[in-house]
Amino acid sequence: MKWIDIPPVWWAAFVALSWWIGRAELFGLSFGGDWIGLLAGIFIGGGLILIALAALEMRKQRTTIIPHMEADRLVQSGIFRRTRNPIYLGDALMLLGFILRFDAPLALPLLPVFVWIIERRFIIPEEDRLRRKFRMDFARYCEKTRRWV
């Protein structure tokens, strides 16, 4: 059952719930307009790009991308100069894009709930492991690079 407690499973659950809310057409609410599809595509594409850049940088640095595992290196280059969590940021952007794509305005509150769960369940424990292993290097990294944006 440990395979269930990984960010992609949480993300997929939130996307599925967003889809259901969009299909239910609760209260007849809609974002309206043709522009919403373009905006959804921008968020989904932007999220995918962030995730790909982070994965490539982590591979280049030869460290793990899998949560709950010990990192071999503290990655501070590439996209990690802008955000300490580009993959989770990409997940959040893609979730927002799918909420828009599914025309599910009532699903918008799911976005901060998703961010809160990811932060508490994955980011804080990951940062604690990095803090213990890389001590001053991680402290300096946190001073110059924000957790999200």
Side-chain angles (χ1 to χ4, degrees), residues 91-112:
D91 288 341
L93 289 174
M94 289 181 8
L95 175 58
L96 176 57
F98 280 107
I99 289 170
L100 295 174
R101 173 70 181 92
F102 299 146
D103 198 19
L106 291 177
L108 282 173
L110 293 177
L111 187 60

Side-chain angles (χ1 to χ4, degrees), residues 23-119:
R23 296 274 300 170
E25 297 182 15
L26 303 170
F27 305 110
L29 296 174
S30 174
F31 290 116
D34 294 332
W35 60 272
I36 207 70
L38 174 64
L39 191 58
I42 290 170
F43 282 121
I44 293 168
L48 285 171
I49 289 170
L50 279 175
I51 292 168
L53 289 172
L56 289 170
E57 194 64 31
M58 291 178 89
R59 182 181 171 124
K60 188 168 98 177
Q61 297 286 331
R62 293 192 173 108
T63 192
T64 185
I65 197 169
I66 301 168
H68 303 304
M69 293 191 69
E70 187 76 24
D72 296 321
R73 289 178 182 55
L74 178 62
V75 181
Q76 301 177 60
S77 55
I79 192 65
F80 289 91
R81 283 184 294 221
R82 304 278 183 237
T83 173
R84 295 195 313 254
N85 295 288
I87 294 173
Y88 297 132
L89 180 58
D91 288 341
L93 289 174
M94 289 181 8
L95 175 58
L96 176 57
F98 280 107
I99 289 170
L100 295 174
R101 173 70 181 92
F102 299 146
D103 198 19
L106 291 177
L108 282 173
L110 293 177
L111 187 60
V113 172
F114 173 76
V115 167
W116 183 81
I117 289 171
I118 291 299
E119 193 167 281

